[in-house]
Amino acid sequence: MSAAITPAAQAEQTRLDGLYARVDRLRDEAAERLGEAGRRHVENDQERSQRDAETLLYRRRIALLDAVEEGLCFGRLDYIDPAEAPMYLGRIGVHAEGGEQLLVDWRSEAGRRFYLATAASPAGVRRRRHLHTKGRRLRSLNDEVLDLDAAADSGSSIGSEGALMAALDAARTGTMQDIVATIQAEQDRIIRAPLEGVMIVDGAPGTGKTAVALHRAAYLLYEHRERLKRQGVLIIGPGKQFLRYISEVLPGLAETDVLLRTPSQLVPGIVADRPETEAVAAVKGRSVMAGVVASAVADRQVVPREPLPVDFEGHELWLRPEKITAARDAARETGLTHNEARETFHKRVIADLATQYADVIGEDPLGGENLLGLADRAQFAVEIASDPVIRGQIEELWPELTAEELLEDLFASRDRIASAAAVLRKEDRALLLRAPGGWSEADVALLDEAAEHLGEVERAVRAGGPSAEQIAYAQDVLTIAAGSASFDFEDEESELLQATDVIDEFWLGERQVDERFVSVAERAAADRRWIFGHVIVDEAQELSPMEWRALLRRCVTRSFTVAGDLAQAAGPAALVGQAPASWAEVFKGLDLDWRVERLTVSYRTPKEIMNVAVRVLDAIGVDAPRPRSVRESGHEPWLWVAGDDVDRVVEEQVAAERRIVGEGSVAVVATAERAAGLAGIAGAAVLTVKQAKGLEFDSVIVVDPDALAATGLRNLYVALTRATKRLGVVAPDKPVFPGAEVL
Ligand SMILES: Nc1ncnc2c1ncn2[C@@H]1O[C@H](COP(=O)(O)OP(=O)(O)OP(=O)(O)O)[C@@H](O)[C@H]1O
């Protein structure tokens, strides 16, 4: 239907014009206020933060209105009860100046009716109308009549999946599109599920797990605004390419308090670009590594076998093993992290040295009691503590350590590995050994684990940043509270409260209400210990147990949406034959309750392609139902046996596919070796399975499927399910993988 010519379309265009005029007005008002705030003279800090907060508010408002410009309004509901006015649905809610609601936000409870009404259960809805717009112009209308009587009267058909089919058939642009206009009922239920708890969204390729997870982020930020806008939402995806692919969706959904990260970006300041074999990564990802890291830390709390001499003011004092052991036990018993407890250790050791020194120089030549008192010993302790050589000697026994230092030392030393990783088999320990220099992806969760044991490093705190301010503040408070107490000799149990203890108690709360002129996402990105209000994990089957531990730390309330498909696991564990067969296995040992929601309909993969893919799925043998394709593409997958000419045939076929899909996207998926040889082919993205994960293209050429299958049937399954329309296979010989028989 050409929208411009029917009276209905004309009426909708007029309505749209009115909506855009209102949005323009709101944008102008925000811009005016932003200008005013910027020009306002401020006298003090309070006025400055007030002005910054207003500036942030208006900037965000303008950004939001810009983001929803395209497809502002996409639906309309008409009700059976004629007294009920039609409802227009859009990306945001918009009110007229007088307060009348012009547009209902898709995430609101009222908006939900748009997605749930069906012909079988119309819930008072007579007609659902989809409005397709380009810019501010209406392009077409698509009506679904849900009320049987009305349909009979008007001669219209009941229901219609026209809007959904149009969305699914549209060419893929390389970034993900939102699905607000066509969310299906089973998806809506997941999107709007309660915030609490761990919900696994399980489903085959193309069932909309990613789409649903992203819309859930937008919904939760809308529904639980107060909490989540302060704490933010973390979204974890498998790779940078994938994050780029989905990054466009969220601003489109009008949300910005979201941090998108790969698991290897979880620790600020660490760039994980060191290559590593899958076998090494698989060992590093195993849950036993938590114990290895803990042991590595304990190994750095050293008791010398023999007394070690210490020179102070020309006198020989001793670092005595039994006293060092007592100091180490006392420090460990504080329950503090290694770096925090270090002060206790140092104090105890210094106290012992001061006592030895006092014993020597305070000795009564007449054989009476030592002539020196507590105050003298305290003074000696201060002097000994300021002796850099002695401090260095004590530091050797309990050094201040960063996570990087700990792991770099560990992995560079066969002896350290042997001690800390005694639980590993010899050949696995051998895999950990390496020269210093850079970090791999699997190292990141280990660094995070290590940082938890080690705690903050004073050196880093001194280097500045917001946490330094907070610590300095707490330190002041505590200094006042603790008076002049310094070293305690008599009472072995007494402990000075450390500023950092208290910070743990109040810090999280304090720093998260601290409204600065940076977004929640920016602050969270810079802070390893940021606690998010909700975490969404996509392609969750790829995460190692160590990565799960790192993620669970980031949301103490355990509010998670976990989207994944075990049949697609292609991470290091899968590649060495250790892919988990069930979610129970994934979460083993993590003390976690979860529930599973299944998506069963594949919106991406057409029937013709699914016919091949399900045979691979059957051979993989995970416990998952076969997905059902929602549509046919009309294109049977093709096979080209190319002998030695694989590269040339691929190049020619890319060119052919390019011509067929026109504006659409073409990808070649191959093993890493083949992909390297094919890189640079014009007209297609050449990807490994890892890179193609979660992405989709109009046309996909899978190269040498048997070689992919040899790296794991799951890899082949991922490759075969990336196409929305056309699938081609180029192989050196007639392929034999399960499913090849129907090509
Ligand atoms: N309700 C819907 N309306 C329109 N398009 C939809 C709908 N649900 C899913 N899609 C589309 O189907 C395609 C597949 O969705 P998505 O990438 O979220 O699937 P997935 O389950 O995450 O797949 P994979 O397991 O391969 O990562 C996307 O193009 C998405 O936009």
Side-chain angles (χ1 to χ4, degrees), residues 164 167-168 172 176-177 179 182-184 187 203-212 245 538-539 568 603-604 694 696 721-722:
L164 175 64
L168 299 180
R172 297 312 199 253
M176 194 169 191
Q177 302 300 305
I179 60 165
T182 52
I183 292 169
Q184 301 298 293
Q187 299 176 324
T207 50
K209 297 181 297 297
T210 302
V212 164
Y245 171 65
D538 202 2
E539 305 290 344
Q568 293 185 64
Y603 299 97
R604 173 195 305 136
E696 62 184 26
T721 51
R722 297 303 101 200

PDB file of all heavy atoms in Angstrom, residues 164 167-168 172 176-177 179 182-184 187 203-212 245 538-539 568 603-604 694 696 721-722, ligand 1:
ATOM      1  N   LEU A 164       6.071  -8.530  11.063  1.00  0.00           N
ATOM      2  CA  LEU A 164       7.197  -9.373  11.486  1.00  0.00           C
ATOM      3  C   LEU A 164       7.963  -9.868  10.263  1.00  0.00           C
ATOM      4  O   LEU A 164       9.196  -9.782  10.197  1.00  0.00           O
ATOM      5  CB  LEU A 164       6.681 -10.555  12.307  1.00  0.00           C
ATOM      6  CG  LEU A 164       7.731 -11.575  12.720  1.00  0.00           C
ATOM      7  CD1 LEU A 164       8.769 -10.955  13.649  1.00  0.00           C
ATOM      8  CD2 LEU A 164       7.082 -12.789  13.385  1.00  0.00           C
ATOM      9  N   ALA A 167      10.035  -7.247   8.691  1.00  0.00           N
ATOM     10  CA  ALA A 167      11.245  -6.970   9.486  1.00  0.00           C
ATOM     11  C   ALA A 167      12.284  -8.062   9.255  1.00  0.00           C
ATOM     12  O   ALA A 167      13.476  -7.788   9.095  1.00  0.00           O
ATOM     13  CB  ALA A 167      10.899  -6.887  10.974  1.00  0.00           C
ATOM     14  N   LEU A 168      11.842  -9.306   9.208  1.00  0.00           N
ATOM     15  CA  LEU A 168      12.791 -10.409   9.067  1.00  0.00           C
ATOM     16  C   LEU A 168      13.394 -10.460   7.664  1.00  0.00           C
ATOM     17  O   LEU A 168      14.538 -10.883   7.491  1.00  0.00           O
ATOM     18  CB  LEU A 168      12.109 -11.743   9.394  1.00  0.00           C
ATOM     19  CG  LEU A 168      11.566 -11.873  10.822  1.00  0.00           C
ATOM     20  CD1 LEU A 168      10.913 -13.234  11.029  1.00  0.00           C
ATOM     21  CD2 LEU A 168      12.671 -11.658  11.851  1.00  0.00           C
ATOM     22  N   ARG A 172      20.219  -6.940   5.968  1.00  0.00           N
ATOM     23  CA  ARG A 172      20.985  -6.677   7.181  1.00  0.00           C
ATOM     24  C   ARG A 172      22.078  -5.663   6.882  1.00  0.00           C
ATOM     25  O   ARG A 172      22.786  -5.772   5.885  1.00  0.00           O
ATOM     26  CB  ARG A 172      21.587  -7.971   7.731  1.00  0.00           C
ATOM     27  CG  ARG A 172      20.536  -9.014   8.157  1.00  0.00           C
ATOM     28  CD  ARG A 172      19.456  -8.370   9.030  1.00  0.00           C
ATOM     29  NE  ARG A 172      18.710  -9.341   9.821  1.00  0.00           N
ATOM     30  CZ  ARG A 172      17.452  -9.712   9.563  1.00  0.00           C
ATOM     31  NH1 ARG A 172      16.805  -9.214   8.526  1.00  0.00           N
ATOM     32  NH2 ARG A 172      16.837 -10.568  10.357  1.00  0.00           N
ATOM     33  N   MET A 176      22.791  -4.199  14.500  1.00  0.00           N
ATOM     34  CA  MET A 176      21.527  -4.827  14.835  1.00  0.00           C
ATOM     35  C   MET A 176      20.421  -3.779  14.886  1.00  0.00           C
ATOM     36  O   MET A 176      20.631  -2.654  15.317  1.00  0.00           O
ATOM     37  CB  MET A 176      21.667  -5.489  16.198  1.00  0.00           C
ATOM     38  CG  MET A 176      20.540  -6.435  16.483  1.00  0.00           C
ATOM     39  SD  MET A 176      20.907  -7.410  17.930  1.00  0.00           S
ATOM     40  CE  MET A 176      19.609  -8.618  17.797  1.00  0.00           C
ATOM     41  N   GLN A 177      19.248  -4.188  14.447  1.00  0.00           N
ATOM     42  CA  GLN A 177      18.085  -3.282  14.495  1.00  0.00           C
ATOM     43  C   GLN A 177      17.245  -3.630  15.715  1.00  0.00           C
ATOM     44  O   GLN A 177      17.203  -4.788  16.127  1.00  0.00           O
ATOM     45  CB  GLN A 177      17.229  -3.477  13.241  1.00  0.00           C
ATOM     46  CG  GLN A 177      17.974  -3.243  11.951  1.00  0.00           C
ATOM     47  CD  GLN A 177      18.527  -1.831  11.871  1.00  0.00           C
ATOM     48  OE1 GLN A 177      17.780  -0.857  12.013  1.00  0.00           O
ATOM     49  NE2 GLN A 177      19.832  -1.695  11.673  1.00  0.00           N
ATOM     50  N   ILE A 179      13.764  -4.371  17.772  1.00  0.00           N
ATOM     51  CA  ILE A 179      12.580  -5.119  17.358  1.00  0.00           C
ATOM     52  C   ILE A 179      11.335  -4.612  18.102  1.00  0.00           C
ATOM     53  O   ILE A 179      10.345  -5.320  18.230  1.00  0.00           O
ATOM     54  CB  ILE A 179      12.751  -6.642  17.600  1.00  0.00           C
ATOM     55  CG1 ILE A 179      12.983  -6.949  19.091  1.00  0.00           C
ATOM     56  CG2 ILE A 179      13.879  -7.215  16.776  1.00  0.00           C
ATOM     57  CD1 ILE A 179      12.807  -8.435  19.444  1.00  0.00           C
ATOM     58  N   THR A 182       7.903  -5.326  16.749  1.00  0.00           N
ATOM     59  CA  THR A 182       7.407  -6.684  16.461  1.00  0.00           C
ATOM     60  C   THR A 182       7.782  -7.709  17.534  1.00  0.00           C
ATOM     61  O   THR A 182       7.870  -8.906  17.252  1.00  0.00           O
ATOM     62  CB  THR A 182       7.961  -7.158  15.099  1.00  0.00           C
ATOM     63  OG1 THR A 182       9.385  -6.980  15.107  1.00  0.00           O
ATOM     64  CG2 THR A 182       7.360  -6.410  13.941  1.00  0.00           C
ATOM     65  N   ILE A 183       8.004  -7.257  18.751  1.00  0.00           N
ATOM     66  CA  ILE A 183       8.318  -8.203  19.844  1.00  0.00           C
ATOM     67  C   ILE A 183       7.199  -9.240  19.925  1.00  0.00           C
ATOM     68  O   ILE A 183       6.014  -8.891  19.926  1.00  0.00           O
ATOM     69  CB  ILE A 183       8.431  -7.442  21.186  1.00  0.00           C
ATOM     70  CG1 ILE A 183       9.652  -6.527  21.180  1.00  0.00           C
ATOM     71  CG2 ILE A 183       8.517  -8.423  22.360  1.00  0.00           C
ATOM     72  CD1 ILE A 183       9.701  -5.552  22.347  1.00  0.00           C
ATOM     73  N   GLN A 184       7.576 -10.505  19.991  1.00  0.00           N
ATOM     74  CA  GLN A 184       6.580 -11.571  20.066  1.00  0.00           C
ATOM     75  C   GLN A 184       6.254 -11.887  21.529  1.00  0.00           C
ATOM     76  O   GLN A 184       7.041 -11.601  22.434  1.00  0.00           O
ATOM     77  CB  GLN A 184       7.117 -12.810  19.355  1.00  0.00           C
ATOM     78  CG  GLN A 184       7.456 -12.556  17.893  1.00  0.00           C
ATOM     79  CD  GLN A 184       6.229 -12.148  17.076  1.00  0.00           C
ATOM     80  OE1 GLN A 184       5.319 -12.942  16.881  1.00  0.00           O
ATOM     81  NE2 GLN A 184       6.204 -10.897  16.618  1.00  0.00           N
ATOM     82  N   GLN A 187       8.717 -13.552  23.707  1.00  0.00           N
ATOM     83  CA  GLN A 187       9.861 -12.678  23.973  1.00  0.00           C
ATOM     84  C   GLN A 187       9.480 -11.606  24.997  1.00  0.00           C
ATOM     85  O   GLN A 187      10.263 -11.267  25.885  1.00  0.00           O
ATOM     86  CB  GLN A 187      10.320 -12.019  22.665  1.00  0.00           C
ATOM     87  CG  GLN A 187      10.771 -13.023  21.616  1.00  0.00           C
ATOM     88  CD  GLN A 187      11.121 -12.364  20.291  1.00  0.00           C
ATOM     89  OE1 GLN A 187      10.478 -11.393  19.877  1.00  0.00           O
ATOM     90  NE2 GLN A 187      12.127 -12.896  19.610  1.00  0.00           N
ATOM     91  N   GLY A 203      18.095 -20.701  23.859  1.00  0.00           N
ATOM     92  CA  GLY A 203      17.413 -20.841  22.579  1.00  0.00           C
ATOM     93  C   GLY A 203      18.408 -21.073  21.465  1.00  0.00           C
ATOM     94  O   GLY A 203      19.584 -20.709  21.572  1.00  0.00           O
ATOM     95  N   ALA A 204      17.917 -21.657  20.393  1.00  0.00           N
ATOM     96  CA  ALA A 204      18.765 -21.973  19.248  1.00  0.00           C
ATOM     97  C   ALA A 204      19.179 -20.691  18.530  1.00  0.00           C
ATOM     98  O   ALA A 204      18.688 -19.612  18.857  1.00  0.00           O
ATOM     99  CB  ALA A 204      17.975 -22.892  18.318  1.00  0.00           C
ATOM    100  N   PRO A 205      20.062 -20.809  17.535  1.00  0.00           N
ATOM    101  CA  PRO A 205      20.504 -19.625  16.796  1.00  0.00           C
ATOM    102  C   PRO A 205      19.323 -18.869  16.193  1.00  0.00           C
ATOM    103  O   PRO A 205      18.406 -19.494  15.647  1.00  0.00           O
ATOM    104  CB  PRO A 205      21.384 -20.205  15.687  1.00  0.00           C
ATOM    105  CG  PRO A 205      21.818 -21.538  16.189  1.00  0.00           C
ATOM    106  CD  PRO A 205      20.742 -22.033  17.086  1.00  0.00           C
ATOM    107  N   GLY A 206      19.368 -17.556  16.317  1.00  0.00           N
ATOM    108  CA  GLY A 206      18.357 -16.723  15.664  1.00  0.00           C
ATOM    109  C   GLY A 206      17.014 -16.671  16.349  1.00  0.00           C
ATOM    110  O   GLY A 206      16.054 -16.125  15.796  1.00  0.00           O
ATOM    111  N   THR A 207      16.913 -17.197  17.559  1.00  0.00           N
ATOM    112  CA  THR A 207      15.621 -17.152  18.257  1.00  0.00           C
ATOM    113  C   THR A 207      15.406 -15.811  18.951  1.00  0.00           C
ATOM    114  O   THR A 207      14.391 -15.608  19.614  1.00  0.00           O
ATOM    115  CB  THR A 207      15.505 -18.293  19.295  1.00  0.00           C
ATOM    116  OG1 THR A 207      16.678 -18.293  20.111  1.00  0.00           O
ATOM    117  CG2 THR A 207      15.361 -19.642  18.618  1.00  0.00           C
ATOM    118  N   GLY A 208      16.377 -14.915  18.808  1.00  0.00           N
ATOM    119  CA  GLY A 208      16.196 -13.567  19.344  1.00  0.00           C
ATOM    120  C   GLY A 208      16.758 -13.388  20.744  1.00  0.00           C
ATOM    121  O   GLY A 208      16.389 -12.437  21.437  1.00  0.00           O
ATOM    122  N   LYS A 209      17.688 -14.256  21.143  1.00  0.00           N
ATOM    123  CA  LYS A 209      18.239 -14.125  22.498  1.00  0.00           C
ATOM    124  C   LYS A 209      18.911 -12.763  22.692  1.00  0.00           C
ATOM    125  O   LYS A 209      18.682 -12.088  23.690  1.00  0.00           O
ATOM    126  CB  LYS A 209      19.261 -15.238  22.777  1.00  0.00           C
ATOM    127  CG  LYS A 209      18.669 -16.634  22.749  1.00  0.00           C
ATOM    128  CD  LYS A 209      19.705 -17.694  23.048  1.00  0.00           C
ATOM    129  CE  LYS A 209      20.827 -17.787  22.033  1.00  0.00           C
ATOM    130  NZ  LYS A 209      20.410 -18.164  20.682  1.00  0.00           N
ATOM    131  N   THR A 210      19.727 -12.373  21.723  1.00  0.00           N
ATOM    132  CA  THR A 210      20.413 -11.091  21.847  1.00  0.00           C
ATOM    133  C   THR A 210      19.408  -9.949  21.817  1.00  0.00           C
ATOM    134  O   THR A 210      19.458  -9.030  22.642  1.00  0.00           O
ATOM    135  CB  THR A 210      21.428 -10.911  20.690  1.00  0.00           C
ATOM    136  OG1 THR A 210      22.336 -11.996  20.746  1.00  0.00           O
ATOM    137  CG2 THR A 210      22.163  -9.603  20.800  1.00  0.00           C
ATOM    138  N   ALA A 211      18.496 -10.024  20.877  1.00  0.00           N
ATOM    139  CA  ALA A 211      17.492  -8.963  20.758  1.00  0.00           C
ATOM    140  C   ALA A 211      16.711  -8.839  22.072  1.00  0.00           C
ATOM    141  O   ALA A 211      16.528  -7.744  22.606  1.00  0.00           O
ATOM    142  CB  ALA A 211      16.551  -9.268  19.596  1.00  0.00           C
ATOM    143  N   VAL A 212      16.296  -9.952  22.595  1.00  0.00           N
ATOM    144  CA  VAL A 212      15.512  -9.945  23.831  1.00  0.00           C
ATOM    145  C   VAL A 212      16.343  -9.408  24.994  1.00  0.00           C
ATOM    146  O   VAL A 212      15.876  -8.594  25.791  1.00  0.00           O
ATOM    147  CB  VAL A 212      15.000 -11.379  24.126  1.00  0.00           C
ATOM    148  CG1 VAL A 212      14.534 -11.527  25.554  1.00  0.00           C
ATOM    149  CG2 VAL A 212      13.876 -11.736  23.154  1.00  0.00           C
ATOM    150  N   TYR A 245      28.286  -4.539  16.749  1.00  0.00           N
ATOM    151  CA  TYR A 245      27.038  -4.934  16.080  1.00  0.00           C
ATOM    152  C   TYR A 245      25.809  -4.544  16.912  1.00  0.00           C
ATOM    153  O   TYR A 245      24.811  -4.059  16.403  1.00  0.00           O
ATOM    154  CB  TYR A 245      27.099  -6.448  15.847  1.00  0.00           C
ATOM    155  CG  TYR A 245      25.823  -7.101  15.368  1.00  0.00           C
ATOM    156  CD1 TYR A 245      25.291  -6.787  14.119  1.00  0.00           C
ATOM    157  CD2 TYR A 245      25.173  -8.040  16.147  1.00  0.00           C
ATOM    158  CE1 TYR A 245      24.130  -7.412  13.679  1.00  0.00           C
ATOM    159  CE2 TYR A 245      24.026  -8.669  15.720  1.00  0.00           C
ATOM    160  CZ  TYR A 245      23.502  -8.343  14.487  1.00  0.00           C
ATOM    161  OH  TYR A 245      22.357  -8.948  14.054  1.00  0.00           O
ATOM    162  N   ASP A 538      25.520 -12.153  27.174  1.00  0.00           N
ATOM    163  CA  ASP A 538      25.094 -12.764  25.918  1.00  0.00           C
ATOM    164  C   ASP A 538      26.150 -13.774  25.485  1.00  0.00           C
ATOM    165  O   ASP A 538      27.315 -13.657  25.860  1.00  0.00           O
ATOM    166  CB  ASP A 538      24.907 -11.688  24.849  1.00  0.00           C
ATOM    167  CG  ASP A 538      23.988 -12.182  23.736  1.00  0.00           C
ATOM    168  OD1 ASP A 538      23.485 -13.312  23.837  1.00  0.00           O
ATOM    169  OD2 ASP A 538      23.777 -11.437  22.773  1.00  0.00           O
ATOM    170  N   GLU A 539      25.724 -14.752  24.687  1.00  0.00           N
ATOM    171  CA  GLU A 539      26.627 -15.837  24.285  1.00  0.00           C
ATOM    172  C   GLU A 539      27.279 -16.412  25.548  1.00  0.00           C
ATOM    173  O   GLU A 539      28.499 -16.638  25.612  1.00  0.00           O
ATOM    174  CB  GLU A 539      27.685 -15.340  23.294  1.00  0.00           C
ATOM    175  CG  GLU A 539      27.129 -14.657  22.052  1.00  0.00           C
ATOM    176  CD  GLU A 539      26.421 -15.599  21.076  1.00  0.00           C
ATOM    177  OE1 GLU A 539      26.613 -16.822  21.200  1.00  0.00           O
ATOM    178  OE2 GLU A 539      25.669 -15.112  20.216  1.00  0.00           O
ATOM    179  N   GLN A 568      26.163 -23.947  20.819  1.00  0.00           N
ATOM    180  CA  GLN A 568      27.044 -23.058  20.072  1.00  0.00           C
ATOM    181  C   GLN A 568      28.364 -22.790  20.787  1.00  0.00           C
ATOM    182  O   GLN A 568      29.136 -21.940  20.347  1.00  0.00           O
ATOM    183  CB  GLN A 568      26.346 -21.722  19.823  1.00  0.00           C
ATOM    184  CG  GLN A 568      25.164 -21.810  18.886  1.00  0.00           C
ATOM    185  CD  GLN A 568      24.606 -20.430  18.585  1.00  0.00           C
ATOM    186  OE1 GLN A 568      25.268 -19.591  17.991  1.00  0.00           O
ATOM    187  NE2 GLN A 568      23.371 -20.179  18.992  1.00  0.00           N
ATOM    188  N   TYR A 603      13.969 -16.739  14.236  1.00  0.00           N
ATOM    189  CA  TYR A 603      13.537 -15.658  13.347  1.00  0.00           C
ATOM    190  C   TYR A 603      14.558 -15.399  12.255  1.00  0.00           C
ATOM    191  O   TYR A 603      14.259 -14.776  11.265  1.00  0.00           O
ATOM    192  CB  TYR A 603      13.305 -14.373  14.170  1.00  0.00           C
ATOM    193  CG  TYR A 603      12.230 -14.569  15.200  1.00  0.00           C
ATOM    194  CD1 TYR A 603      12.538 -14.885  16.517  1.00  0.00           C
ATOM    195  CD2 TYR A 603      10.886 -14.504  14.833  1.00  0.00           C
ATOM    196  CE1 TYR A 603      11.548 -15.112  17.445  1.00  0.00           C
ATOM    197  CE2 TYR A 603       9.881 -14.735  15.762  1.00  0.00           C
ATOM    198  CZ  TYR A 603      10.228 -15.039  17.070  1.00  0.00           C
ATOM    199  OH  TYR A 603       9.242 -15.281  17.983  1.00  0.00           O
ATOM    200  N   ARG A 604      15.775 -15.857  12.480  1.00  0.00           N
ATOM    201  CA  ARG A 604      16.818 -15.594  11.490  1.00  0.00           C
ATOM    202  C   ARG A 604      16.884 -16.681  10.435  1.00  0.00           C
ATOM    203  O   ARG A 604      16.803 -16.412   9.234  1.00  0.00           O
ATOM    204  CB  ARG A 604      18.183 -15.498  12.165  1.00  0.00           C
ATOM    205  CG  ARG A 604      19.321 -15.383  11.147  1.00  0.00           C
ATOM    206  CD  ARG A 604      20.684 -15.657  11.765  1.00  0.00           C
ATOM    207  NE  ARG A 604      20.928 -14.813  12.902  1.00  0.00           N
ATOM    208  CZ  ARG A 604      21.447 -15.244  14.055  1.00  0.00           C
ATOM    209  NH1 ARG A 604      21.790 -16.518  14.202  1.00  0.00           N
ATOM    210  NH2 ARG A 604      21.637 -14.426  15.064  1.00  0.00           N
ATOM    211  N   GLY A 694      27.196 -14.712  17.053  1.00  0.00           N
ATOM    212  CA  GLY A 694      26.150 -13.734  17.377  1.00  0.00           C
ATOM    213  C   GLY A 694      25.764 -12.811  16.230  1.00  0.00           C
ATOM    214  O   GLY A 694      24.787 -12.081  16.317  1.00  0.00           O
ATOM    215  N   GLU A 696      24.865 -11.775  12.051  1.00  0.00           N
ATOM    216  CA  GLU A 696      24.093 -12.370  10.956  1.00  0.00           C
ATOM    217  C   GLU A 696      24.278 -11.554   9.682  1.00  0.00           C
ATOM    218  O   GLU A 696      24.604 -10.370   9.719  1.00  0.00           O
ATOM    219  CB  GLU A 696      22.613 -12.465  11.339  1.00  0.00           C
ATOM    220  CG  GLU A 696      21.954 -11.131  11.608  1.00  0.00           C
ATOM    221  CD  GLU A 696      20.519 -11.282  12.078  1.00  0.00           C
ATOM    222  OE1 GLU A 696      20.179 -12.326  12.641  1.00  0.00           O
ATOM    223  OE2 GLU A 696      19.740 -10.333  11.872  1.00  0.00           O
ATOM    224  N   THR A 721      24.542 -21.192  10.766  1.00  0.00           N
ATOM    225  CA  THR A 721      23.314 -20.503  11.198  1.00  0.00           C
ATOM    226  C   THR A 721      23.459 -18.985  11.218  1.00  0.00           C
ATOM    227  O   THR A 721      22.751 -18.304  11.942  1.00  0.00           O
ATOM    228  CB  THR A 721      22.893 -20.993  12.606  1.00  0.00           C
ATOM    229  OG1 THR A 721      24.033 -20.893  13.476  1.00  0.00           O
ATOM    230  CG2 THR A 721      22.399 -22.421  12.575  1.00  0.00           C
ATOM    231  N   ARG A 722      24.375 -18.444  10.430  1.00  0.00           N
ATOM    232  CA  ARG A 722      24.558 -16.982  10.405  1.00  0.00           C
ATOM    233  C   ARG A 722      23.726 -16.299   9.325  1.00  0.00           C
ATOM    234  O   ARG A 722      23.615 -15.085   9.310  1.00  0.00           O
ATOM    235  CB  ARG A 722      26.050 -16.623  10.169  1.00  0.00           C
ATOM    236  CG  ARG A 722      27.010 -17.071  11.231  1.00  0.00           C
ATOM    237  CD  ARG A 722      26.657 -16.544  12.587  1.00  0.00           C
ATOM    238  NE  ARG A 722      25.998 -17.557  13.389  1.00  0.00           N
ATOM    239  CZ  ARG A 722      25.241 -17.300  14.468  1.00  0.00           C
ATOM    240  NH1 ARG A 722      25.042 -16.073  14.846  1.00  0.00           N
ATOM    241  NH2 ARG A 722      24.660 -18.274  15.138  1.00  0.00           N
TER     242      ARG A 722
HETATM  243  N1  LIG B   1      10.300 -10.235  17.332  1.00  0.00           N
HETATM  244  C1  LIG B   1      11.148 -10.002  16.365  1.00  0.00           C
HETATM  245  N2  LIG B   1      10.862  -9.137  15.396  1.00  0.00           N
HETATM  246  C2  LIG B   1      11.735  -8.895  14.390  1.00  0.00           C
HETATM  247  N3  LIG B   1      12.934  -9.450  14.314  1.00  0.00           N
HETATM  248  C3  LIG B   1      13.270 -10.309  15.269  1.00  0.00           C
HETATM  249  C4  LIG B   1      12.407 -10.641  16.341  1.00  0.00           C
HETATM  250  N4  LIG B   1      13.049 -11.512  17.137  1.00  0.00           N
HETATM  251  C5  LIG B   1      14.253 -11.731  16.602  1.00  0.00           C
HETATM  252  N5  LIG B   1      14.387 -11.008  15.474  1.00  0.00           N
HETATM  253  C6  LIG B   1      15.534 -10.961  14.596  1.00  0.00           C
HETATM  254  O1  LIG B   1      16.053 -12.242  14.447  1.00  0.00           O
HETATM  255  C7  LIG B   1      17.466 -12.171  14.280  1.00  0.00           C
HETATM  256  C8  LIG B   1      18.135 -13.075  15.259  1.00  0.00           C
HETATM  257  O2  LIG B   1      18.034 -12.528  16.542  1.00  0.00           O
HETATM  258  P1  LIG B   1      19.228 -12.618  17.578  1.00  0.00           P
HETATM  259  O3  LIG B   1      20.515 -12.255  16.949  1.00  0.00           O
HETATM  260  O4  LIG B   1      18.794 -11.878  18.777  1.00  0.00           O
HETATM  261  O5  LIG B   1      19.208 -14.194  17.836  1.00  0.00           O
HETATM  262  P2  LIG B   1      20.104 -15.031  18.822  1.00  0.00           P
HETATM  263  O6  LIG B   1      19.197 -16.020  19.435  1.00  0.00           O
HETATM  264  O7  LIG B   1      20.870 -14.147  19.718  1.00  0.00           O
HETATM  265  O8  LIG B   1      21.061 -15.769  17.816  1.00  0.00           O
HETATM  266  P3  LIG B   1      22.512 -16.419  18.047  1.00  0.00           P
HETATM  267  O9  LIG B   1      22.303 -17.587  18.963  1.00  0.00           O
HETATM  268  O10 LIG B   1      22.935 -16.848  16.704  1.00  0.00           O
HETATM  269  O11 LIG B   1      23.387 -15.369  18.626  1.00  0.00           O
HETATM  270  C9  LIG B   1      17.828 -10.708  14.450  1.00  0.00           C
HETATM  271  O12 LIG B   1      17.904 -10.102  13.189  1.00  0.00           O
HETATM  272  C10 LIG B   1      16.670 -10.134  15.192  1.00  0.00           C
HETATM  273  O13 LIG B   1      16.506  -8.777  14.963  1.00  0.00           O
END
